Amino acid sequence: MYLVALTGGIASGKSTVAKRLAEHGAVRIDADQLAREVVEPGTDALQNIANTFGEQLVLPDGSLDRASLGAAVFGHPEQLVKLNAIVHPAVQQLTRERIAEAEAADPDAIIVYDVPLLVEGKLPHPFEQVIVVSAPDELRIDRLITHRGMSRSDAERRIASQVSEAERLAIADIVIDSTGTLADTLTRADALWLTLRAQAEAKA
Ligand SMILES: CC(C)(COP(=O)(O)OP(=O)(O)OC[C@H]1O[C@@H](n2cnc3c(N)ncnc32)[C@H](O)[C@@H]1O)[C@@H](O)C(=O)NCCC(=O)NCCS
Ligand SMILES: Nc1ncnc2c1ncn2[C@@H]1O[C@H](COP(=O)(O)OP(=O)(O)OP(=O)(O)O)[C@@H](O)[C@H]1O
């Protein structure tokens, strides 16, 4: 297998790039998706969240009230630390399992771990390459307001909950600039795929 990490701040276009790579044939493992799976109704992590942040965070149908939990943690670093301590170990365990499954299914797979918090999570870096999708804070705030209907203050709080762009760029092997049009980003993702395939073949 050829395992790379793809990271970027919120609304950098990281998932846009990861999905494009998956269309070309990469196996995408999406940390945001795993973070949803580990808090599904009936999980230990969800019970832990209820114990820590209050039973009212579990909705009548048994699912997590994501909007309320987001309001409780973003802008409140000491609360975010508590949430991360509950969710991140479970996400890391599931990540290891999904990587092992992808490798078992195809030993030559190019696996893209789509992970917003690579720097914050201080994961060991078993990755062949760390790819950072990059755009300035102000542009990402605009995207959160325009495409996700967030208020400016919510967008700023999310960005403030993550490391700076400079800290992400410091760990990058490859940088994908996403300040152009969406089509520009997709073109860069296509070129990235050719690079990754060549690197994977050279390693094999
Ligand atoms: C607080 C929660 C319920 C809010 O849910 P919501 O649906 O509003 O956001 P969603 O999960 O889709 O995340 C959107 C983006 O927010 C940012 N973000 C999410 N969690 C975090 C975090 N702990 N620290 C910093 N940024 C974060 C990421 O850029 C992510 O891509 C949720 O984000 C959560 O459970 N976070 C903790 C788990 C986590 O760290 N997930 C990130 C990948 S492991
Ligand atoms: N040049 C661009 N490159 C990438 N995305 C763009 C660009 N211009 C606008 N966008 C929009 O910005 C948003 C980026 O979303 P995307 O889910 O790819 O980001 P993300 O970095 O994965 O965010 P998150 O951390 O929330 O998962 C999308 O709505 C996308 O259409």
Side-chain angles (χ1 to χ4, degrees):
M1 75 165 167
Y2 194 76
L3 173 64
V4 300
L6 180 71
T7 193
I10 187 164
S12 59
K14 173 180 51 64
S15 297
T16 301
V17 172
K19 284 181 196 155
R20 185 70 157 204
L21 296 174
E23 283 170 21
H24 284 294
V27 177
R28 173 186 178 215
I29 298 176
D30 176 0
D32 280 335
Q33 172 58 32
L34 300 188
R36 285 169 191 263
E37 288 184 30
V38 301
V39 298
E40 274 172 7
T43 55
D44 289 348
L46 182 59
Q47 187 56 53
N48 226 327
I49 287 171
N51 295 344
T52 308
F53 296 94
E55 298 290 335
Q56 77 286 354
L57 284 174
V58 179
L59 295 168
D61 68 358
S63 69
L64 176 62
D65 181 347
R66 304 182 68 84
S68 296
L69 183 55
V73 297
F74 296 118
H76 304 279
E78 68 296 341
Q79 301 300 324
L80 186 61
V81 167
K82 287 186 201 164
L83 177 63
N84 289 344
I86 296 170
V87 178
H88 289 176
V91 170
Q92 288 184 11
Q93 176 57 30
L94 208 47
T95 299
R96 279 191 283 273
E97 288 171 24
R98 295 290 158 88
I99 291 172
E101 284 165 20
E103 185 175 28
D106 176 8
D108 297 324
I110 297 179
I111 304 173
V112 175
Y113 185 41
D114 178 353
V115 56
L117 306 179
L118 186 67
V119 181
E120 294 87 337
K122 299 188 181 57
L123 296 180
H125 287 199
F127 303 105
E128 307 275 357
Q129 303 283 332
V130 172
I131 303 153
V132 173
V133 182
S134 178
D137 290 2
E138 200 47 49
L139 180 56
R140 292 187 289 117
I141 290 170
D142 282 348
R143 286 178 185 163
L144 289 170
I145 295 169
T146 312
H147 299 289
R148 289 198 209 161
M150 260 193 207
S151 68
R152 168 164 284 272
S153 54
D154 276 350
E156 287 172 348
R157 269 195 286 274
R158 289 259 181 159
I159 286 186
S161 300
Q162 303 186 343
V163 297
S164 68
E165 201 60 15
E167 286 169 276
R168 269 188 294 272
L169 291 172
I171 64 157
D173 298 304
I174 299 174
V175 177
I176 301 290
D177 177 317
S178 74
T179 56
T181 64
L182 189 55
D184 291 336
T185 299
L186 294 173
T187 301
R188 291 188 173 125
D190 293 341
L192 172 64
W193 172 249
L194 296 180
T195 304
L196 294 180
R197 223 177 43 183
Q199 287 170 344
E201 274 165 21
K203 189 197 163 207

